[in-house]
Amino acid sequence: GTLTNNSLSNIMKTVRPKGKCIVDVGAADGKVLLAGLAFQARSALGIELAGDSLVTKFNAMVNRIKDKTMGAFPTQNQAACLKCNTDILKFENGSMTDLLTQCFPGIFRIQPGRSIVVCAVWHGFTINAKESLLKRLANSHFVQSFTVVGPQLKDYGKSTEVLDFLKQQNPKCTAHHVSSIPVTLSGGGEHYQAMYFEY
């Protein structure tokens, strides 16, 4: 299942992507990216393990929104791109900006300041994929915040586990705001939590 519209809206109100680059790791068909654009993100970039049919679906959704809003969304200043067949474990370790530069050459440009917010609905991630993402986040200077969505009883399902792992990777990495948002997935209706970290 994917996040319900209400859950997506609650996450975006917390994440506040306006003027930032929103990145979704495990983006599926890109609904989190569209929500980010609706909340005035400067750009929305998604990485997905599955195949290119999701890119076709995502582009069709973006075009449909453009048609319905007569071109007002996404605006000319907003970039939206989904890259499929992409496994974060296949890339060398580095920061989130290193990954984005490799995945989106010519599209991703580093903006000064804490200009990136990251989302991951990671209930389907392996433990290695979760740790790969957290390692990148621990060493990213341009990421303002990140949100991970999943069950509390799985690996890294508690905020303390996430924070301990970040600290092991980079002792200077400290979160100054952590919160939890209850979310629901469509389809099976599972109730999870979105853990939000500002650091």
Side-chain angles (χ1 to χ4, degrees):
T2 57
L3 291 164
T4 62
N5 289 345
N6 282 343
S7 295
L8 259 177
S9 179
N10 290 337
I11 287 173
M12 291 304 140
K13 286 172 187 169
T14 303
V15 167
R16 301 182 311 278
K18 184 176 181 179
K20 308 243 184 283
C21 172
I22 186 165
V23 176
D24 187 9
V25 180
D29 62 4
K31 286 186 182 138
V32 169
L33 304 178
L34 296 181
L37 292 171
F39 278 76
Q40 300 179 348
R42 175 180 46 80
S43 56
L45 304 174
I47 299 164
E48 172 55 37
L49 182 62
D52 288 334
S53 62
L54 290 173
V55 173
T56 305
K57 183 177 179 185
F58 175 68
N59 290 338
M61 288 192 295
V62 170
N63 290 333
R64 188 168 177 207
I65 290 167
K66 282 181 180 177
D67 290 344
K68 281 189 166 186
T69 58
M70 297 186 298
F73 165 72
T75 67
Q76 289 181 336
N77 297 327
Q78 291 176 307
C81 193
L82 175 62
K83 181 173 173 55
C84 286
N85 294 305
T86 305
D87 184 348
I88 60 171
L89 294 175
K90 302 275 190 213
F91 290 84
E92 290 180 18
N93 285 335
S95 67
M96 185 56 63
T97 51
D98 294 331
L99 177 66
L100 296 174
T101 303
Q102 290 176 66
C103 288
F104 303 101
I107 296 172
F108 174 72
R109 289 179 183 79
I110 298 174
Q111 299 288 320
R114 309 286 255 167
S115 58
I116 301 170
V117 293
V118 177
C119 290
V121 181
W122 72 357
H123 63 284
F125 281 33
T126 64
I127 190 167
N128 290 338
K130 288 180 179 181
E131 290 181 350
S132 175
L133 174 60
L134 292 175
K135 282 177 189 173
R136 289 182 186 283
L137 291 168
N139 294 298
S140 294
H141 301 291
F142 294 93
V143 176
Q144 175 189 306
S145 64
F146 68 93
T147 305
V148 291
V149 179
Q152 289 178 290
L153 299 177
K154 237 179 155 189
D155 302 306
Y156 300 105
K158 294 184 173 68
S159 58
T160 50
E161 295 171 326
V162 171
L163 292 169
D164 287 347
F165 186 84
L166 291 172
K167 204 76 164 164
Q168 287 170 16
Q169 303 309 306
N170 182 354
K172 294 181 181 177
C173 187
T174 7
H176 61 83
H177 181 76
V178 179
S179 61
S180 182
I181 310 155
V183 297
T184 305
L185 300 189
S186 61
E190 298 98 335
H191 297 289
Y192 287 165
Q193 66 165 345
M195 292 184 288
Y196 171 76
F197 301 85
E198 214 169 284
Y199 68 120

Coordinates of all heavy atoms in Angstrom, one line a residue, residues 45-136:
L45 N 12.6 14.7 -6.6 CA 13.4 13.7 -7.2 C 13.2 12.4 -6.5 O 13.3 12.3 -5.3 CB 14.9 14.0 -7.1 CG 15.3 15.4 -7.8 CD1 16.8 15.7 -7.5 CD2 15.0 15.4 -9.2
G46 N 12.9 11.3 -7.3 CA 12.6 10.0 -6.7 C 13.5 8.9 -7.2 O 13.8 8.9 -8.4
I47 N 13.8 8.0 -6.3 CA 14.6 6.8 -6.7 C 13.8 5.6 -6.4 O 13.2 5.5 -5.3 CB 15.9 6.8 -5.9 CG1 16.8 8.1 -6.2 CG2 16.7 5.6 -6.2 CD1 17.9 8.3 -5.2
E48 N 13.7 4.7 -7.3 CA 12.9 3.5 -7.1 C 13.6 2.2 -7.7 O 14.2 2.3 -8.7 CB 11.5 3.7 -7.8 CG 10.6 2.5 -7.9 CD 10.3 1.8 -6.5 OE1 10.2 2.5 -5.5 OE2 10.3 0.6 -6.5
L49 N 13.5 1.1 -6.9 CA 14.1 -0.1 -7.3 C 13.4 -0.8 -8.5 O 14.0 -1.4 -9.4 CB 14.1 -1.1 -6.1 CG 14.8 -2.4 -6.3 CD1 16.3 -2.3 -6.6 CD2 14.6 -3.3 -5.0
A50 N 12.1 -0.7 -8.6 CA 11.3 -1.3 -9.6 C 11.5 -0.7 -11.0 O 12.2 0.2 -11.1 CB 9.8 -1.3 -9.2
G51 N 10.8 -1.3 -12.0 CA 11.1 -1.0 -13.4 C 10.5 0.3 -13.9 O 9.7 1.0 -13.2
D52 N 10.8 0.6 -15.2 CA 10.5 1.9 -15.8 C 9.0 2.1 -16.0 O 8.6 3.3 -16.4 CB 11.2 2.0 -17.1 CG 12.7 2.2 -16.9 OD1 13.1 2.7 -15.9 OD2 13.5 1.8 -17.8
S53 N 8.1 1.1 -15.9 CA 6.7 1.4 -16.1 C 6.2 2.4 -15.1 O 5.3 3.2 -15.3 CB 5.9 0.1 -16.0 OG 6.0 -0.4 -14.7
L54 N 6.9 2.5 -13.9 CA 6.5 3.5 -12.9 C 6.9 4.9 -13.3 O 6.2 5.9 -13.0 CB 7.1 3.2 -11.5 CG 6.6 1.9 -10.8 CD1 7.4 1.6 -9.6 CD2 5.1 2.1 -10.5
V55 N 7.9 5.0 -14.1 CA 8.3 6.3 -14.7 C 7.2 6.8 -15.6 O 6.8 8.0 -15.6 CB 9.7 6.3 -15.4 CG1 10.0 7.6 -16.1 CG2 10.8 6.0 -14.4
T56 N 6.7 5.9 -16.5 CA 5.7 6.2 -17.4 C 4.4 6.7 -16.6 O 3.8 7.7 -17.0 CB 5.3 5.0 -18.3 OG1 6.6 4.5 -18.9 CG2 4.3 5.3 -19.3
K57 N 4.1 6.0 -15.6 CA 2.9 6.4 -14.8 C 3.1 7.7 -14.1 O 2.2 8.6 -14.1 CB 2.6 5.3 -13.7 CG 1.4 5.5 -12.9 CD 1.1 4.4 -11.9 CE -0.1 4.7 -11.1 NZ -0.4 3.7 -10.0
F58 N 4.3 7.9 -13.6 CA 4.6 9.2 -12.9 C 4.5 10.4 -13.9 O 3.9 11.4 -13.6 CB 6.0 9.1 -12.3 CG 6.5 10.4 -11.7 CD1 5.9 10.9 -10.5 CD2 7.5 11.2 -12.2 CE1 6.3 12.1 -10.0 CE2 8.0 12.4 -11.7 CZ 7.3 12.9 -10.5
N59 N 5.1 10.2 -15.0 CA 5.1 11.3 -16.0 C 3.7 11.6 -16.5 O 3.3 12.7 -16.7 CB 6.0 10.9 -17.2 CG 7.5 11.0 -16.9 OD1 7.9 11.6 -15.9 ND2 8.3 10.3 -17.6
A60 N 2.9 10.5 -16.6 CA 1.5 10.7 -17.0 C 0.7 11.5 -15.9 O -0.1 12.4 -16.2 CB 0.8 9.3 -17.2
M61 N 1.0 11.2 -14.6 CA 0.4 11.9 -13.5 C 0.8 13.4 -13.5 O -0.1 14.3 -13.4 CB 0.7 11.3 -12.2 CG 0.0 10.0 -11.9 SD 0.1 9.4 -10.2 CE 1.9 9.1 -10.0
V62 N 2.1 13.7 -13.8 CA 2.5 15.0 -13.8 C 1.9 15.8 -15.0 O 1.4 16.9 -14.8 CB 4.1 15.1 -14.0 CG1 4.5 16.5 -14.3 CG2 4.7 14.6 -12.7
N63 N 1.8 15.1 -16.1 CA 1.1 15.8 -17.3 C -0.3 16.0 -17.1 O -0.9 17.0 -17.5 CB 1.4 14.9 -18.6 CG 2.8 15.0 -19.0 OD1 3.5 15.9 -18.7 ND2 3.3 13.9 -19.6
R64 N -1.0 15.1 -16.4 CA -2.4 15.3 -16.1 C -2.7 16.4 -15.2 O -3.6 17.2 -15.4 CB -3.0 14.0 -15.5 CG -4.5 14.0 -15.4 CD -5.0 12.6 -15.0 NE -6.4 12.7 -14.8 CZ -7.1 11.8 -14.1 NH1 -6.5 10.9 -13.5 NH2 -8.4 12.0 -13.9
I65 N -1.8 16.6 -14.2 CA -1.9 17.7 -13.3 C -1.7 19.0 -14.0 O -2.4 20.0 -13.8 CB -0.9 17.5 -12.1 CG1 -1.4 16.4 -11.2 CG2 -0.8 18.8 -11.3 CD1 -0.4 16.0 -10.2
K66 N -0.7 19.0 -14.9 CA -0.4 20.2 -15.7 C -1.6 20.6 -16.5 O -2.0 21.8 -16.6 CB 0.8 20.0 -16.6 CG 2.1 20.1 -15.9 CD 3.2 19.9 -17.0 CE 4.6 19.9 -16.3 NZ 5.7 19.7 -17.3
D67 N -2.2 19.6 -17.1 CA -3.4 19.9 -18.0 C -4.6 20.4 -17.1 O -5.2 21.4 -17.5 CB -3.9 18.6 -18.7 CG -2.9 18.1 -19.8 OD1 -2.1 19.0 -20.2 OD2 -3.0 17.0 -20.2
K68 N -4.8 19.8 -16.0 CA -5.9 20.2 -15.1 C -5.7 21.6 -14.6 O -6.7 22.3 -14.3 CB -6.1 19.2 -14.0 CG -6.9 18.0 -14.4 CD -7.2 17.2 -13.2 CE -8.2 16.1 -13.5 NZ -8.7 15.4 -12.4
T69 N -4.5 22.0 -14.3 CA -4.2 23.3 -13.7 C -3.7 24.3 -14.8 O -3.2 25.3 -14.4 CB -3.2 23.2 -12.6 OG1 -2.0 22.6 -13.1 CG2 -3.7 22.3 -11.5
M70 N -3.9 24.0 -16.0 CA -3.5 24.8 -17.1 C -2.0 25.3 -17.0 O -1.6 26.4 -17.1 CB -4.4 26.1 -17.2 CG -5.8 25.7 -17.5 SD -6.9 27.0 -17.8 CE -6.9 27.9 -16.3
G71 N -1.2 24.3 -16.6 CA 0.3 24.6 -16.6 C 0.8 25.2 -15.3 O 1.9 25.5 -15.1
A72 N -0.1 25.4 -14.3 CA 0.3 26.1 -13.1 C 1.1 25.2 -12.1 O 1.7 25.7 -11.2 CB -0.9 26.7 -12.4
F73 N 1.0 23.9 -12.3 CA 1.7 23.0 -11.4 C 2.1 21.7 -12.1 O 1.2 21.1 -12.8 CB 0.7 22.7 -10.3 CG 1.1 21.5 -9.5 CD1 2.2 21.6 -8.6 CD2 0.5 20.2 -9.6 CE1 2.6 20.5 -7.8 CE2 0.9 19.1 -8.8 CZ 2.0 19.3 -7.9
P74 N 3.3 21.3 -12.1 CA 4.4 22.0 -11.6 C 4.7 23.3 -12.4 O 4.5 23.3 -13.6 CB 5.6 21.0 -11.7 CG 5.0 19.7 -11.9 CD 3.7 19.9 -12.6
T75 N 5.2 24.3 -11.8 CA 5.6 25.5 -12.5 C 6.9 25.3 -13.2 O 7.6 24.3 -13.1 CB 5.7 26.7 -11.5 OG1 6.9 26.4 -10.7 CG2 4.5 26.8 -10.6
Q76 N 7.2 26.3 -14.0 CA 8.5 26.2 -14.8 C 9.7 26.1 -13.9 O 10.7 25.6 -14.3 CB 8.6 27.4 -15.7 CG 7.6 27.4 -16.9 CD 7.8 28.6 -17.8 OE1 8.2 29.7 -17.3 NE2 7.3 28.5 -19.0
N77 N 9.6 26.6 -12.7 CA 10.7 26.6 -11.8 C 10.8 25.3 -11.0 O 11.7 25.1 -10.2 CB 10.6 27.8 -10.8 CG 10.6 29.1 -11.5 OD1 11.3 29.3 -12.5 ND2 9.9 30.1 -11.0
Q78 N 9.9 24.4 -11.2 CA 9.9 23.1 -10.4 C 10.3 22.0 -11.4 O 9.9 21.9 -12.5 CB 8.5 22.8 -9.9 CG 8.0 23.8 -8.8 CD 6.6 23.4 -8.4 OE1 5.7 23.4 -9.2 NE2 6.4 23.2 -7.1
A79 N 11.2 21.2 -10.8 CA 11.7 20.0 -11.6 C 11.1 18.8 -10.9 O 11.1 18.7 -9.7 CB 13.2 20.0 -11.6
A80 N 10.6 17.8 -11.7 CA 10.1 16.6 -11.1 C 10.7 15.4 -12.0 O 10.5 15.4 -13.2 CB 8.6 16.6 -11.2
C81 N 11.3 14.5 -11.3 CA 12.0 13.4 -12.0 C 12.0 12.1 -11.1 O 12.3 12.2 -10.0 CB 13.4 13.7 -12.4 SG 14.1 12.6 -13.6
L82 N 11.6 11.0 -11.7 CA 11.6 9.7 -11.1 C 12.6 8.8 -11.8 O 12.5 8.7 -13.0 CB 10.2 9.1 -11.0 CG 10.1 7.7 -10.5 CD1 10.5 7.6 -9.0 CD2 8.7 7.1 -10.6
K83 N 13.5 8.2 -11.1 CA 14.5 7.3 -11.7 C 14.3 5.9 -11.2 O 14.4 5.7 -10.0 CB 15.9 7.8 -11.4 CG 17.0 6.9 -12.1 CD 18.4 7.5 -11.9 CE 19.5 6.6 -12.3 NZ 19.4 6.1 -13.7
C84 N 13.9 5.0 -12.1 CA 13.6 3.6 -11.7 C 14.9 2.7 -11.9 O 15.9 3.2 -12.4 CB 12.4 3.1 -12.4 SG 10.9 3.8 -11.7
N85 N 14.7 1.4 -11.7 CA 15.8 0.4 -11.8 C 17.0 0.9 -11.0 O 18.2 0.7 -11.5 CB 16.2 0.2 -13.3 CG 15.0 -0.5 -14.0 OD1 14.5 -1.5 -13.6 ND2 14.6 0.2 -15.1
T86 N 16.8 1.5 -9.9 CA 17.9 2.1 -9.1 C 18.0 1.6 -7.7 O 17.0 1.7 -6.9 CB 17.7 3.7 -9.1 OG1 17.6 4.1 -10.4 CG2 18.9 4.3 -8.4
D87 N 19.0 0.9 -7.4 CA 19.2 0.2 -6.1 C 20.3 1.0 -5.3 O 21.4 1.1 -5.8 CB 19.7 -1.2 -6.3 CG 19.8 -2.0 -5.0 OD1 19.8 -1.4 -3.9 OD2 19.9 -3.2 -5.1
I88 N 19.9 1.6 -4.2 CA 20.9 2.5 -3.5 C 22.1 1.6 -3.0 O 23.2 2.2 -2.7 CB 20.3 3.2 -2.3 CG1 19.7 2.3 -1.3 CG2 19.3 4.3 -2.8 CD1 19.2 3.0 0.0
L89 N 22.0 0.3 -2.9 CA 23.1 -0.5 -2.5 C 24.1 -0.7 -3.6 O 25.3 -1.1 -3.3 CB 22.6 -1.9 -2.1 CG 21.7 -1.9 -0.8 CD1 21.2 -3.3 -0.6 CD2 22.4 -1.4 0.4
K90 N 23.8 -0.3 -4.8 CA 24.7 -0.5 -5.9 C 25.7 0.7 -6.0 O 26.6 0.7 -6.8 CB 24.0 -0.7 -7.2 CG 23.0 -1.8 -7.2 CD 23.7 -3.1 -7.6 CE 22.7 -4.2 -7.8 NZ 23.0 -5.5 -7.5
F91 N 25.4 1.8 -5.3 CA 26.2 3.0 -5.4 C 27.3 3.0 -4.3 O 27.0 2.4 -3.2 CB 25.4 4.2 -5.3 CG 24.5 4.5 -6.4 CD1 23.2 3.9 -6.5 CD2 24.9 5.3 -7.5 CE1 22.4 4.1 -7.6 CE2 24.0 5.5 -8.6 CZ 22.8 4.9 -8.6
E92 N 28.4 3.6 -4.6 CA 29.4 3.7 -3.5 C 28.9 4.6 -2.4 O 28.0 5.4 -2.6 CB 30.7 4.4 -4.1 CG 31.4 3.5 -5.1 CD 32.7 4.2 -5.6 OE1 33.1 5.2 -5.0 OE2 33.2 3.8 -6.6
N93 N 29.4 4.3 -1.2 CA 28.9 5.1 -0.1 C 29.3 6.6 -0.3 O 30.3 6.9 -1.0 CB 29.6 4.6 1.2 CG 28.9 3.4 1.7 OD1 27.8 3.1 1.4 ND2 29.7 2.6 2.5
G94 N 28.6 7.4 0.3 CA 28.8 8.9 0.2 C 27.6 9.6 0.8 O 26.8 9.0 1.5
S95 N 27.5 10.8 0.5 CA 26.4 11.6 1.1 C 25.1 11.5 0.2 O 25.2 10.9 -0.9 CB 26.8 13.1 1.2 OG 26.9 13.6 -0.1
M96 N 24.0 12.1 0.6 CA 22.8 12.1 -0.2 C 23.1 12.9 -1.5 O 22.6 12.6 -2.6 CB 21.7 12.7 0.6 CG 20.3 12.7 -0.1 SD 19.8 11.1 -0.6 CE 19.6 10.2 0.9
T97 N 23.9 14.0 -1.4 CA 24.1 14.8 -2.6 C 25.0 14.0 -3.6 O 24.8 14.2 -4.8 CB 24.8 16.1 -2.2 OG1 25.9 15.9 -1.4 CG2 23.9 17.1 -1.5
D98 N 25.9 13.2 -3.1 CA 26.7 12.3 -4.0 C 25.7 11.4 -4.8 O 25.9 11.2 -6.0 CB 27.7 11.4 -3.3 CG 28.7 12.2 -2.6 OD1 29.1 13.3 -3.1 OD2 29.2 11.8 -1.5
L99 N 24.8 10.8 -4.1 CA 23.8 9.9 -4.8 C 23.0 10.7 -5.8 O 22.8 10.2 -6.9 CB 22.9 9.2 -3.7 CG 21.8 8.3 -4.3 CD1 22.4 7.1 -4.9 CD2 20.9 7.9 -3.1
L100 N 22.5 11.8 -5.4 CA 21.6 12.6 -6.3 C 22.4 13.1 -7.5 O 21.8 13.1 -8.7 CB 21.0 13.8 -5.6 CG 20.0 13.4 -4.4 CD1 19.6 14.6 -3.7 CD2 18.8 12.6 -5.0
T101 N 23.6 13.5 -7.4 CA 24.5 13.9 -8.5 C 24.7 12.8 -9.5 O 24.6 13.1 -10.7 CB 25.8 14.4 -8.0 OG1 25.6 15.5 -7.0 CG2 26.7 15.0 -9.1
Q102 N 24.8 11.6 -9.0 CA 25.0 10.4 -9.9 C 23.7 10.1 -10.6 O 23.7 9.7 -11.8 CB 25.5 9.2 -9.1 CG 27.0 9.4 -8.7 CD 27.4 8.2 -7.8 OE1 27.5 7.1 -8.3 NE2 27.6 8.4 -6.5
C103 N 22.6 10.1 -9.8 CA 21.3 9.7 -10.4 C 20.7 10.7 -11.3 O 20.0 10.3 -12.3 CB 20.3 9.3 -9.3 SG 20.7 7.8 -8.4
F104 N 20.9 12.0 -11.0 CA 20.2 13.0 -11.8 C 21.2 14.1 -12.3 O 21.1 15.2 -12.0 CB 19.2 13.7 -10.9 CG 18.2 12.8 -10.3 CD1 18.3 12.3 -9.0 CD2 17.1 12.3 -11.1 CE1 17.3 11.5 -8.5 CE2 16.2 11.5 -10.6 CZ 16.3 11.0 -9.3
P105 N 22.2 13.6 -13.2 CA 23.1 14.6 -13.7 C 22.4 15.6 -14.6 O 21.5 15.3 -15.4 CB 24.1 13.7 -14.6 CG 23.3 12.5 -14.8 CD 22.4 12.3 -13.7
G106 N 22.7 16.9 -14.4 CA 22.1 17.9 -15.2 C 20.8 18.4 -14.6 O 20.3 19.5 -15.0
I107 N 20.2 17.6 -13.7 CA 18.9 18.0 -13.1 C 19.1 18.5 -11.6 O 18.7 19.5 -11.2 CB 17.9 16.8 -13.1 CG1 17.5 16.5 -14.5 CG2 16.6 17.2 -12.3 CD1 16.7 15.2 -14.6
F108 N 19.9 17.7 -10.9 CA 20.2 18.0 -9.5 C 21.3 19.0 -9.4 O 22.4 18.8 -9.9 CB 20.5 16.8 -8.6 CG 20.9 17.1 -7.2 CD1 20.0 17.6 -6.3 CD2 22.2 17.0 -6.8 CE1 20.3 18.0 -5.0 CE2 22.6 17.4 -5.5 CZ 21.7 17.8 -4.6
R109 N 21.1 20.1 -8.7 CA 22.1 21.1 -8.4 C 22.1 21.4 -7.0 O 21.0 21.7 -6.4 CB 21.9 22.4 -9.3 CG 22.2 22.2 -10.7 CD 22.0 23.4 -11.5 NE 22.2 23.2 -13.0 CZ 21.3 22.6 -13.8 NH1 20.2 22.2 -13.3 NH2 21.6 22.4 -15.0
I110 N 23.2 21.4 -6.3 CA 23.3 21.7 -4.9 C 22.9 23.2 -4.7 O 23.6 24.0 -5.3 CB 24.6 21.4 -4.3 CG1 24.9 19.9 -4.4 CG2 24.7 21.8 -2.8 CD1 26.3 19.5 -4.0
Q111 N 22.0 23.4 -3.8 CA 21.7 24.8 -3.4 C 22.3 25.1 -2.1 O 22.5 24.1 -1.2 CB 20.1 25.0 -3.2 CG 19.4 24.7 -4.5 CD 19.5 25.9 -5.5 OE1 19.6 27.0 -5.2 NE2 19.7 25.5 -6.8
P112 N 22.8 26.3 -1.8 CA 23.4 26.5 -0.5 C 22.4 26.4 0.7 O 21.2 26.5 0.5 CB 23.8 28.0 -0.6 CG 23.0 28.6 -1.7 CD 22.7 27.5 -2.6
G113 N 23.0 26.0 1.8 CA 22.1 25.9 3.0 C 21.5 24.5 3.1 O 21.9 23.6 2.3
R114 N 20.7 24.3 4.0 CA 20.0 23.0 4.3 C 18.8 22.9 3.3 O 17.7 23.1 3.7 CB 19.6 22.9 5.7 CG 20.7 23.2 6.7 CD 21.7 22.1 6.8 NE 21.5 21.4 8.1 CZ 22.1 20.3 8.3 NH1 22.8 19.7 7.5 NH2 21.9 19.7 9.5
S115 N 19.1 22.5 2.1 CA 18.1 22.7 1.0 C 17.4 21.4 0.6 O 16.7 21.4 -0.4 CB 18.8 23.3 -0.2 OG 19.9 22.5 -0.6
I116 N 17.7 20.3 1.3 CA 17.1 19.0 0.9 C 16.3 18.4 2.0 O 16.7 18.4 3.2 CB 18.2 18.0 0.5 CG1 19.1 18.5 -0.6 CG2 17.6 16.6 0.1 CD1 20.3 17.7 -0.9
V117 N 15.1 17.9 1.7 CA 14.3 17.1 2.7 C 14.1 15.7 2.0 O 13.9 15.6 0.8 CB 13.0 17.7 3.0 CG1 13.2 19.0 3.8 CG2 12.1 18.0 1.8
V118 N 14.3 14.7 2.8 CA 14.2 13.3 2.3 C 13.1 12.5 3.0 O 12.8 12.7 4.2 CB 15.6 12.6 2.7 CG1 15.5 11.1 2.2 CG2 16.7 13.3 2.0
C119 N 12.4 11.8 2.2 CA 11.3 10.9 2.6 C 11.6 9.5 2.2 O 12.1 9.3 1.1 CB 10.0 11.3 2.1 SG 9.3 12.8 2.7
A120 N 11.2 8.5 3.0 CA 11.3 7.1 2.6 C 10.2 6.3 3.3 O 10.2 6.3 4.5 CB 12.7 6.5 3.0
V121 N 9.3 5.7 2.5 CA 8.4 4.8 3.0 C 9.1 3.4 3.0 O 9.1 2.8 1.9 CB 7.1 4.8 2.2 CG1 6.1 3.8 2.8 CG2 6.5 6.2 2.1
W122 N 9.8 3.1 4.1 CA 10.8 2.0 4.0 C 10.3 0.7 4.7 O 11.1 -0.1 5.0 CB 12.1 2.5 4.6 CG 12.2 2.7 6.1 CD1 11.2 2.6 7.0 CD2 13.4 3.1 6.8 NE1 11.7 2.9 8.2 CE2 13.1 3.2 8.1 CE3 14.7 3.3 6.4 CZ2 14.0 3.5 9.1 CZ3 15.6 3.6 7.3 CH2 15.3 3.7 8.7
H123 N 9.0 0.5 4.8 CA 8.5 -0.7 5.4 C 8.9 -2.0 4.5 O 9.0 -3.1 5.1 CB 7.0 -0.7 5.6 CG 6.2 -0.6 4.4 ND1 6.0 0.6 3.7 CD2 5.4 -1.5 3.7 CE1 5.2 0.4 2.7 NE2 4.8 -0.9 2.7
G124 N 9.2 -1.8 3.3 CA 9.7 -2.9 2.4 C 11.2 -3.0 2.2 O 11.7 -3.8 1.5
F125 N 11.9 -2.0 2.9 CA 13.4 -2.0 2.7 C 14.0 -3.2 3.5 O 13.6 -3.6 4.5 CB 14.0 -0.8 3.3 CG 13.9 0.5 2.4 CD1 12.8 0.7 1.6 CD2 14.9 1.4 2.5 CE1 12.7 1.9 0.8 CE2 14.8 2.6 1.8 CZ 13.7 2.8 0.9
T126 N 15.1 -3.7 2.9 CA 15.9 -4.7 3.7 C 16.7 -3.9 4.7 O 16.8 -2.7 4.6 CB 16.9 -5.4 2.8 OG1 17.8 -4.5 2.2 CG2 16.2 -6.2 1.7
I127 N 17.3 -4.6 5.7 CA 18.1 -3.8 6.7 C 19.3 -3.2 6.1 O 19.7 -2.1 6.4 CB 18.5 -4.8 7.9 CG1 19.1 -4.0 9.0 CG2 19.4 -5.9 7.4 CD1 19.2 -4.7 10.3
N128 N 19.9 -3.8 5.0 CA 21.0 -3.2 4.4 C 20.6 -1.9 3.6 O 21.4 -1.0 3.6 CB 21.6 -4.2 3.3 CG 22.3 -5.4 4.0 OD1 22.7 -5.3 5.2 ND2 22.4 -6.5 3.3
A129 N 19.4 -1.9 3.0 CA 19.0 -0.7 2.3 C 18.7 0.4 3.4 O 19.1 1.6 3.1 CB 17.7 -1.0 1.5
K130 N 18.1 0.1 4.5 CA 17.9 1.1 5.5 C 19.2 1.7 6.0 O 19.4 2.9 6.1 CB 17.1 0.5 6.7 CG 15.7 0.2 6.4 CD 15.0 -0.4 7.7 CE 13.5 -0.7 7.4 NZ 12.8 -1.3 8.6
E131 N 20.2 0.8 6.3 CA 21.5 1.3 6.8 C 22.2 2.1 5.7 O 22.9 3.1 6.0 CB 22.3 0.1 7.2 CG 21.8 -0.5 8.5 CD 22.6 -1.6 9.1 OE1 23.5 -2.1 8.4 OE2 22.2 -2.0 10.2
S132 N 22.1 1.7 4.4 CA 22.7 2.5 3.4 C 22.1 3.9 3.3 O 22.9 4.9 3.2 CB 22.5 1.8 2.0 OG 22.9 2.6 1.0
L133 N 20.8 4.0 3.4 CA 20.2 5.4 3.5 C 20.6 6.2 4.7 O 21.0 7.3 4.5 CB 18.6 5.2 3.4 CG 17.8 6.5 3.6 CD1 18.1 7.5 2.5 CD2 16.3 6.2 3.7
L134 N 20.6 5.5 5.8 CA 21.0 6.2 7.1 C 22.5 6.7 7.0 O 22.8 7.8 7.5 CB 20.7 5.4 8.3 CG 19.3 5.1 8.6 CD1 19.1 4.1 9.8 CD2 18.5 6.4 8.9
K135 N 23.3 5.9 6.4 CA 24.8 6.3 6.3 C 24.9 7.6 5.5 O 25.6 8.5 5.8 CB 25.6 5.2 5.7 CG 25.9 4.0 6.6 CD 26.7 2.9 5.8 CE 26.8 1.7 6.7 NZ 27.4 0.6 6.0
R136 N 24.1 7.6 4.4 CA 24.1 8.8 3.5 C 23.6 10.0 4.3 O 24.2 11.1 4.1 CB 23.3 8.6 2.3 CG 23.9 7.6 1.3 CD 23.1 7.4 0.0 NE 23.7 6.4 -0.8 CZ 24.8 6.5 -1.5 NH1 25.4 7.7 -1.5 NH2 25.3 5.5 -2.2

